[in-house]
Amino acid sequence: MNTADLGLPEEDHHRDAPWKNGRGRRVDVPSTALFTDQYELTMLQAALRGGTADRRSVFEVFTRRLPSGRRYGVVAGTGRVLDAVENFRFDADMLTFLHEQEIVDEPTLEWLSTYRFRGDIWGYPEGEVYFPGSPLLRVEGSFAECVLLETVILSILNHDSAIAAAASRMAASAGDRPLIEMGARRTHELSAVASARAAYVGGFASTSDLAAGFRYGIPTVGTSAHAFTLLHDSERDAFQAQVASLGGGTTLLVDTYDVATAVRTAVEVAGPELGAVRIDSGDLLLVAHRVRQQLDELGATGTRIVVTSDLDEYAIASLAAAPVDAYGVGTQLVTGSGHPTCSMVYKLVARAASADPRAPLVPVAKKSMGAKSSRGGRKWAARRPDEYGVAEAEVVGTGPVPAGLADHQLQVELVKGGEVVAHEPLDEARARHIRARGGLPMSAVQLSRGEPVIPTEFV
């Protein structure tokens, strides 16, 4: 059969392509410098005028809480953040816009014209899991160069991590059955590409979005929609045309009219070696059982069953006992399955007392009413295992790392002196997530609402 239709993991047809390093093709994209909020630039202007712009500063990305009911988060978008930092440049047209709109003054425009991030970034590697208070990203440099990156970093991490968390829950529910990302038509065209990438990190096997395949080397799949069947004078004509073009290992869509009739016709046209049938409507549990029985009776015992139709992690879990071989997920995935953001923030946690590079760092923190306060100081993070090697706490602290946690630290160096040092194949992030999720208590993958599966301890 043609396993590319299902996105099955044993299919390796993309691995010999030019993007086999997992990052896909290098794609020229516009500068990311205006993917920001105006107050980043007005803060810069005021800091330049006030003489504080060059103070060494430490910003951290974290979230105060997980989305309601979720037991862990997933770090995704790190690779895109690194690309965005590399591409954060103000070109002539942008500077003209800022000048014409009188957003910043001439000295600030001159400073922006040569902007390059020359600081350091540390963070949780992509695919790692996280919890409330985890210092997911630490950005160090002058106040001026770090403050400009706030919005673009948050927009990427908040979106991609939300999608990856939903994907992870769906992958846990699916078990060994592959998942196909099919949400491009349900979101913004650029968000669709980012969503496919994040879904792959979270455990999906393939995507229907060709831009994601082109840019990131994610395996792409797809055969036909109901329109192709409706184009023809009969369902048989449609199946014959598809098999003639794509071969008997293709996936035939069998719910345009009557499912039982379509399954019989599909096997008659493609033979018992038909690759798969797809069901996109109805009571999927009941229909899948009936289709499996019918396929077996027709001798198509190797034909797979793919189900789609507004699936989420709960629907996938409900089909665990059904004879389903793969799931296609769209809307619920690209909207984070009800949680489209992670509420991550980017806060200044330490800064020097002067612009002198030798000036020591002073912890700073927001102290506000309610739940919007922050903790000062440059932080490290480690995940403490129990005697069985299962995570029992996320430990976050400042100062020296306790000897017993030295080998369990989570942050890695991503950017050094403005140079990215941690580009990696996307498959590595995907494999890392599987390992990280597997190191959590078993209750992490329960779909019932609950608190974070391990506590965050601040020391």
Side-chain angles (χ1 to χ4, degrees), residues 281-321:
S281 60
D283 183 336
L284 297 178
L285 179 62
L286 176 63
V287 175
H289 278 286
R290 289 178 174 174
V291 168
R292 179 75 271 157
Q293 180 179 354
Q294 186 180 11
L295 286 170
D296 291 346
E297 290 172 350
L298 293 170
T301 56
T303 298
R304 308 287 183 108
I305 297 175
V306 183
V307 296
T308 53
S309 185
D310 292 327
L311 299 177
D312 62 9
E313 59 266 49
Y314 301 99
I316 291 169
S318 73
L319 293 168

Side-chain angles (χ1 to χ4, degrees), residues 36 40-41 43-45 47-48 52-59 85 88-90 111-112 114-121 139-153 346 415-419:
T36 191
E40 314 292 4
L41 299 190
M43 281 193 288
L44 168 64
Q45 176 177 305
L48 288 170
T52 55
D54 291 331
R55 287 188 177 185
R56 190 160 54 105
S57 299
V58 180
F59 287 81
V85 170
F88 204 94
R89 307 282 189 271
F90 290 86
W111 189 93
L112 291 173
T114 60
Y115 176 83
R116 301 290 186 274
F117 179 74
R118 306 187 193 284
D120 303 325
I121 300 178
V139 183
E140 301 189 29
S142 70
F143 176 84
E145 63 183 335
C146 295
V147 75
L148 294 184
L149 299 177
E150 174 181 3
T151 302
V152 70
I153 286 176
Y346 183 96
V415 177
K416 182 176 183 179
E419 296 295 323

Side-chain angles (χ1 to χ4, degrees), residues 356-379:
D356 186 336
R358 296 167 298 179
L361 288 173
V362 178
V364 295
K366 178 180 179 180
K367 298 186 183 300
S368 62
M369 300 294 290
K372 297 190 72 173
S373 61
S374 59
R375 295 174 182 267
R378 179 203 278 131
K379 300 173 193 67

Side-chain angles (χ1 to χ4, degrees), residues 20 225 230 281 324 363 449-450:
K20 64 182 179 180
L230 296 170
S281 60
V324 172
R449 296 172 67 86

Side-chain angles (χ1 to χ4, degrees), residues 210-229:
L210 290 178
F214 175 78
R215 182 168 296 189
Y216 298 117
I218 301 170
T220 58
V221 300
T223 51
S224 68
H226 293 102
F228 187 76
T229 301

Side-chain angles (χ1 to χ4, degrees), residues 7 23 201 208 259 400:
R23 294 194 66 225
V201 170
S208 65
V259 173

Side-chain angles (χ1 to χ4, degrees), residues 126-175:
E126 191 156 21
E128 184 58 82
V129 297
Y130 71 88
F131 299 91
S134 297
L136 304 179
L137 204 69
R138 188 175 75 225
V139 183
E140 301 189 29
S142 70
F143 176 84
E145 63 183 335
C146 295
V147 75
L148 294 184
L149 299 177
E150 174 181 3
T151 302
V152 70
I153 286 176
L154 288 179
S155 66
I156 292 171
L157 292 181
N158 268 313
H159 174 270
D160 289 22
S161 297
I163 305 305
S168 178
R169 286 161 60 87
M170 293 173 187
S173 295

